[in-house]
């Protein structure tokens, strides 16, 4: 920055004097203790900041009333609630993405699950969708002292189930989950950036049928890792960069052989921070979203053809959600054939066929501190996110549905 | 904290280490409070904004792409929370209270009087007030400023330059 002139020096002095009234005092240890103790039940503890309780209750009452009206209406006209579950449309010329669970007759996936049910309490988590079981698979942890917990969420009954495998992966700083349709297994890649972790990356595989975790071979150490699944090859794809802004590296992981294989790249995109990748079945490409250092421009969308190993840059206008320093997530919505970027809000989608980004509705109207999108629910063909509650977002109607209200 | 220490501490805090999180709070709370106070112009609102920002930090620190970038991220979150809080309390148009009670303190050594400064700041948007403080009080680099406002470093500098021109006009010529 240029040297400051007299006015700027005076301005800085005056600002400092003015900001003497800022509430800078804090008790760091108490604040940390307060959050550690209060989350996820922080609203009961935070006192003056607990402004979300009434909206949550209002939502429960409203949803209960709507439910009664719906059931009453259905009885009056002598019909039953039905939900269409159309088959997953595979990409043109490609094999089907995999067997798909169907909700049992009489299921009510649009009706909220029981509010008083047990639910995951941890706040560091990763989520995948097991399309053969029709369940979200979630690993979650709260603090370094406790281990992880494995949970599933049934998208036909909107109920959580705590799983009890014989052993579970160790605690992690953050983690990624992806469901491998071909192997009918959920892959966990946990990352640990803490000082001197014994193993920075770990891979575990979860078999929901047998409720067992098995440790597998970890990939090479790469920063900014992202996991996605390529239904054509039936392999997991791990993408990352060796350093911030470095050229991306792509690896295939074969669960059956427990082997990592580097994917050939005929060309490379320009160095960007590629924070997220997703497989987009509508164009049979990986969609990668990248930005410059510090989350600054350029904001670019790139497509990677796994079959030919070639990168191409999208000419689309920059995505509307930019400049956020946290890791974005990408998920492909098979029904709407869009790739959705989720960070905080707004929710944005990339239509690879039309090469266009657009802003979708945000979740702000549901309740205070709403969950963001986590995964694509292929059974009900909508996006699902969870936090204190569980919500679904239909990209076609752009409507949010509460699947489980917060307590 | 040095860069290496920052990265380690933030990684630990992101992993749920209370002591590390407390260290992050101790390091950045004052700057966050200044940004929130500048944006809101109200001590109580600023407290709420910073509290909300720390809650987000507690939950999202682990998803920070680069732990060394924690400061601009925290300030961006704070400014965002301050803006949202103001909107919820006062609607889309927000002005800070110029004639605050007991606000007759002037530093004779300063070239700009406090009341004049408050009046001039009141004409800026909350985001612009936050940006001015991030640069002139917290001394963020161009890269960090860009990160905090979601723009390139040059765009952030340009925006800052326009704001300062406006303040210069009001405080020197007005």
């Amino acid at each position: 920055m240029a040297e400051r002139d007299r006015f700027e020096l005076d301005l800085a002095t005056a600002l400092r004097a003015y900001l003497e009234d800022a509430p800078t005092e804090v008790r760091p240890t108490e604040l940390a203790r307060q959050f550690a103790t209060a989350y996820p039940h922080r609203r009961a503890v935070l006192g003056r900041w607990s402004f979300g309780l009434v909206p949550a209750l209002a939502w429960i009452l409203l949803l209960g009333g709507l439910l009664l009206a719906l059931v009453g209406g259905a009885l009056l006209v002598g019909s039953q609630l039905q939900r269409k579950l159309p088959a997953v449309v595979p990409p043109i010329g490609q094999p089907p993405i995999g067997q798909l669970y169907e909700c049992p007759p009489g299921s009510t996936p649009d009706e909220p699950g029981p509010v008083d049910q047990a639910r995951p309490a941890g706040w560091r988590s990763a989520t995948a969708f097991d399309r053969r079981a029709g369940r979200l698979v979630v690993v979650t942890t709260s603090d370094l002292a406790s281990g992880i917990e494995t949970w599933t969420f049934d998208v036909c009954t909107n109920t959580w189930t705590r799983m009890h495998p014989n052993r579970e992966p160790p605690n992690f700083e953050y983690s990624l989950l992806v469901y491998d349709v071909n192997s009918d297994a959920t892959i966990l890649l946990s990352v640990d950036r803490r000082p001197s972790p014994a193993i920075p990356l770990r891979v575990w595989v979860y078999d929901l049928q047998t409720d067992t975790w098995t440790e597998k071979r970890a990939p090479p150490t790469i920063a900014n890792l992202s996991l996605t699944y390529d239904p054509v090859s039936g392999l997991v794809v791990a993408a990352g960069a060796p350093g911030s802004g470095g050229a991306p590296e792509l690896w295939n992981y074969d669960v059956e052989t427990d082997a990592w294989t580097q994917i050939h790249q005929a060309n490379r995109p320009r160095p960007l921070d590629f924070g997220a990748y997703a497989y987009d079945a509508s164009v049979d490409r990986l969609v990668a979203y990248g930005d410059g250092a510090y989350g600054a421009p350029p904001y670019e969308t790139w497509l990677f053809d796994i079959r030919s190993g070639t990168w191409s840059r999208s000419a689309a206008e920059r995505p509307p959600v930019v400049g956020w320093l946290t890791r974005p997530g990408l998920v492909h919505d098979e029904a709407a054939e869009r790739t959705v970027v989720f960070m905080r809000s707004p929710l944005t989608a990339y239509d690879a066929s039309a090469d266009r980004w657009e802003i979708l509705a945000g979740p702000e109207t549901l309740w205070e501190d709403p969950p963001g999108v986590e995964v694509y629910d292929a059974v009900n063909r909508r996006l699902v996110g969870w936090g204190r509650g569980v919500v679904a977002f239909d990209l076609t109607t752009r409507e949010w549905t509460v699947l489980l209200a917060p307590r | 904290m040095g860069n290496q220490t920052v990265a380690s501490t933030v990684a630990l805090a992101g992993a749920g280490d209370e002591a590390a999180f407390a260290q992050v709070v101790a390091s950045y709370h004052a700057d966050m409070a200044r940004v929130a106070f500048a944006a809101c112009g109200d001590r109580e609102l600023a407290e709420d904004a910073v509290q909300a920002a720390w809650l987000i930090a507690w939950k999202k620190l682990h998803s920070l792409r680069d732990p060394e970038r924690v400061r601009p991220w925290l300030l961006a979150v704070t400014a965002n929370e301050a803006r949202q809080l103001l909107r919820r309390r006062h609607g889309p148009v927000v002005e800070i209270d110029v004639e605050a009670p007991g606000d007759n303190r002037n530093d004779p050594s300063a070239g700009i009087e406090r009341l004049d400064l408050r009046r001039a700041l009141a004409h800026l948007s909350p985001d612009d007030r936050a940006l001015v403080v991030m640069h002139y009080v917290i001394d963020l680099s161009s890269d960090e400023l860009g990160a905090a406002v979601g723009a390139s470093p040059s765009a952030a500098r340009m925006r800052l330059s326009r704001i300062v021109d406006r303040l210069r006009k009001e405080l020197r010529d007005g």
Side-chain angles (χ1 to χ4, degrees):
Chain A
M1 294 251 181
E3 205 160 300
R4 293 175 185 176
D5 61 24
R6 183 70 240 168
F7 171 77
E8 288 177 288
L9 293 172
D10 286 347
L11 177 63
T13 305
L15 280 168
R16 285 197 182 93
Y18 166 62
L19 291 173
E20 282 170 9
D21 288 341
T24 53
E25 60 284 352
V26 67
R27 293 176 180 162
T29 312
E30 281 181 25
L31 188 71
R33 179 103 287 259
Q34 186 185 21
F35 286 151
T37 309
Y39 195 84
H41 305 295
R42 60 191 180 283
R43 291 182 193 290
V45 179
L46 289 184
R48 63 183 293 196
W49 290 288
S50 57
F51 40 72
L53 191 59
V54 173
L57 284 172
W59 267 107
I60 294 165
L61 290 172
L62 178 63
L63 288 167
L66 284 172
L67 184 62
L68 278 173
L70 269 173
V71 172
L75 287 173
L76 273 177
V77 297
S79 62
Q80 289 186 329
L81 291 172
Q82 285 189 333
R83 178 173 180 80
K84 283 185 178 178
L85 292 174
V88 168
V89 180
I92 297 166
Q94 303 295 343
I97 286 174
Q99 291 174 15
L100 187 62
Y101 182 79
E102 284 190 23
C103 288
S107 298
T108 52
D110 288 341
E111 293 180 11
V115 174
D116 59 352
Q117 64 180 286
R119 56 184 83 195
W123 49 272
R124 273 181 295 120
S125 62
T127 309
F129 184 72
D130 183 331
R131 59 196 301 144
R132 289 197 192 187
R135 293 191 197 189
L136 269 61
V137 175
V138 169
V139 292
T140 180
T141 180
S142 295
D143 55 63
L144 292 172
S146 55
I148 75 156
E149 294 180 1
T150 309
W151 289 76
T152 63
F153 183 79
D154 187 324
V155 296
C156 298
T157 60
N158 294 328
T159 49
W160 284 105
T161 304
R162 168 83 190 270
M163 307 305 287
H164 295 284
N166 280 342
R167 64 174 187 150
E168 287 175 313
N171 209 316
F172 51 80
E173 185 196 347
Y174 74 89
S175 64
L176 308 159
L177 270 187
V178 68
Y179 176 66
D180 180 331
V181 186
N182 197 40
S183 306
D184 189 19
T186 302
I187 320 300
L188 168 75
L189 200 157
S190 66
V191 182
D192 198 334
R193 295 179 298 188
R194 283 173 285 167
S196 308
I199 307 171
L201 294 177
R202 294 172 191 270
V203 173
W204 288 68
V205 173
Y206 181 65
D207 184 336
L208 180 58
Q209 306 269 356
T210 58
D211 190 19
T212 51
W213 282 102
T214 310
E215 185 163 17
K216 297 284 188 177
R217 188 174 303 170
T221 303
I222 303 173
N224 295 321
L225 266 174
S226 175
L227 277 189
T228 188
Y229 177 70
D230 171 10
V232 178
S233 68
L235 301 173
V236 170
V237 176
S244 181
E249 286 188 15
L250 296 161
W251 295 76
N252 269 330
Y253 177 62
D254 187 337
V255 179
E256 310 299 334
T257 59
D258 193 19
W260 289 90
T261 311
Q262 193 154 17
I263 299 174
H264 167 72
Q265 298 177 71
N267 61 339
R268 302 259 180 174
R270 71 155 142 169
L272 289 170
D273 274 354
F274 285 102
Y277 296 76
Y279 174 76
D280 188 323
S282 65
V283 291
D284 187 29
R285 298 280 190 283
L286 288 186
V287 174
Y289 165 71
D291 57 30
Y294 278 79
Y299 307 113
E300 293 179 359
T301 309
W302 286 75
L303 300 171
F304 180 67
D305 182 345
I306 309 174
R307 311 321 144 207
S308 67
T310 52
W311 285 94
S312 55
R313 187 185 153 190
S314 156
E317 289 289 315
R318 54 181 255 185
V321 175
V322 292
W324 202 247
L325 298 174
T326 50
R327 200 173 298 103
L330 252 68
V331 62
H332 182 61
D333 184 321
E334 294 167 20
E337 298 195 338
R338 308 270 173 90
T339 295
V340 178
V341 174
F342 55 93
M343 284 185 263
R344 289 196 70 206
S345 62
L347 201 62
T348 59
Y350 174 65
D351 182 338
S353 303
D355 196 19
R356 185 167 57 91
W357 283 93
E358 61 181 315
I359 294 182
L360 308 169
E364 295 86 351
T365 52
L366 285 172
W367 59 73
E368 197 69 41
D369 188 22
V373 167
E374 302 263 1
V375 290
Y376 178 71
D377 164 4
V379 173
N380 296 302
R381 298 168 69 75
R382 58 194 180 186
L383 306 167
V384 175
W386 68 275
R388 295 190 304 119
V390 184
V391 294
F393 182 76
D394 188 319
L395 198 50
T396 310
T397 62
R398 300 195 179 188
E399 287 177 353
W400 290 91
T401 305
V402 176
L403 304 182
L404 179 60
R407 262 200 293 244
Chain B
M1 285 193 277
N3 278 0
Q4 190 61 38
T5 319
V6 169
S8 314
T9 308
V10 170
L12 273 170
D17 185 304
E18 261 182 66
F21 188 77
Q23 205 176 332
V24 174
V25 172
S27 300
Y28 301 111
H29 183 87
D31 282 346
M32 290 165 68
R34 290 182 185 105
V35 165
F37 183 68
C40 299
D42 178 285
R43 196 179 155 87
E44 194 175 327
L45 274 182
E47 276 180 352
D48 286 356
V50 177
Q51 175 84 3
W54 278 125
L55 184 55
I56 290 170
W58 173 251
K59 290 158 62 182
K60 299 282 183 188
L61 211 50
H62 65 283
S63 62
L64 199 59
R65 283 156 66 178
D66 183 349
E68 287 179 19
R69 300 173 186 180
V70 67
R71 185 166 74 153
W73 179 70
L74 287 172
L75 296 178
V77 172
T78 305
N80 192 46
E81 290 306 306
R83 184 177 57 247
Q84 289 193 25
L85 212 52
L86 277 170
R87 199 173 293 152
R88 278 203 294 269
R89 300 266 174 101
H90 300 294
V93 179
V94 176
E95 286 193 359
I96 60 175
D97 183 12
V98 176
E99 311 288 349
D103 193 11
N104 54 1
R105 292 162 289 170
N106 281 322
D107 180 353
S109 66
I112 298 170
E113 292 193 359
R114 178 183 287 258
L115 194 56
D116 291 339
L117 177 69
R118 285 183 71 96
R119 281 201 184 103
L121 289 176
H123 295 146
L124 300 179
S125 71
D127 282 349
D128 284 352
R129 292 196 287 266
L131 183 63
V132 167
V133 168
M134 286 183 207
H135 177 64
Y136 286 105
V137 178
I138 301 173
D139 290 323
L140 289 195
S141 68
S142 291
D143 279 351
E144 290 177 314
L145 271 186
V149 299
S152 67
S154 59
R157 281 198 303 270
M158 201 175 293
R159 185 172 142 196
L160 185 66
S161 169
R162 278 198 294 266
I163 299 168
V164 173
D165 283 349
R166 193 172 161 185
L167 287 173
R168 194 188 301 270
K169 197 167 177 353
E170 285 202 37
L171 292 166
R172 283 281 183 257
D173 308 333

